[in-house]
């Protein structure tokens, strides 16, 4: 006689919700985050926060006026060679 019990369906694992991070804009930032270009002091720059492959929290800044581009981590400027080294995947 076939079993009348239904097969147990595994329950999905409950995840903790990700912390809410306010979304930004490439052209508009919060007043407390206004940072000008470190080269020409233009008030409007593009700043992108990211985590590099090695886990370093970094910020890329690009200025449309003077074409300055730079990286920083913990408020310290990074050379492009340092950024590239930190983004390589382990062999």
């Amino acid at each position: 006689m076939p079993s009348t019990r239904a097969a147990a369906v595994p329950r999905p694992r409950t995840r903790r919700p990700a912390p809410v991070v306010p979304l930004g804009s490439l052209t508009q930032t919060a007043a407390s985050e206004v940072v000008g270009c470190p080269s020409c002091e233009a008030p409007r720059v593009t700043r992108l926060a990211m985590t590099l492959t090695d886990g370093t929290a970094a910020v890329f800044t690009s200025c449309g006026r003077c074409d300055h581009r730079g990286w920083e981590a913990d408020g310290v400027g990074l050379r492009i060679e340092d950024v590239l080294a930190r983004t390589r995947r382990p062999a």
Side-chain angles (χ1 to χ4, degrees), residues 9-40:
V9 177
R11 299 173 111 191
R13 293 183 3 193
T14 304
R15 294 186 192 181
R16 284 190 272 170
V20 177
V21 177
L23 299 177
S25 168
L26 293 178
T27 59
Q28 299 187 16
T29 61
S32 63
E33 296 178 14
V34 175
V35 177
C37 174
S39 182
C40 73

Side-chain angles (χ1 to χ4, degrees), residues 3-73:
S3 173
T4 57
R5 266 175 78 171
V9 177
R11 299 173 111 191
R13 293 183 3 193
T14 304
R15 294 186 192 181
R16 284 190 272 170
V20 177
V21 177
L23 299 177
S25 168
L26 293 178
T27 59
Q28 299 187 16
T29 61
S32 63
E33 296 178 14
V34 175
V35 177
C37 174
S39 182
C40 73
E41 298 180 2
R44 294 185 64 164
V45 295
T46 300
R47 290 177 54 87
L48 302 172
M50 62 190 70
T51 303
L52 302 179
T53 306
D54 72 348
T56 302
V59 177
F60 172 73
T61 303
S62 175
C63 177
R65 181 192 290 173
C66 73
D67 208 28
H68 168 81
R69 291 185 178 98
W71 296 86
E72 63 183 66

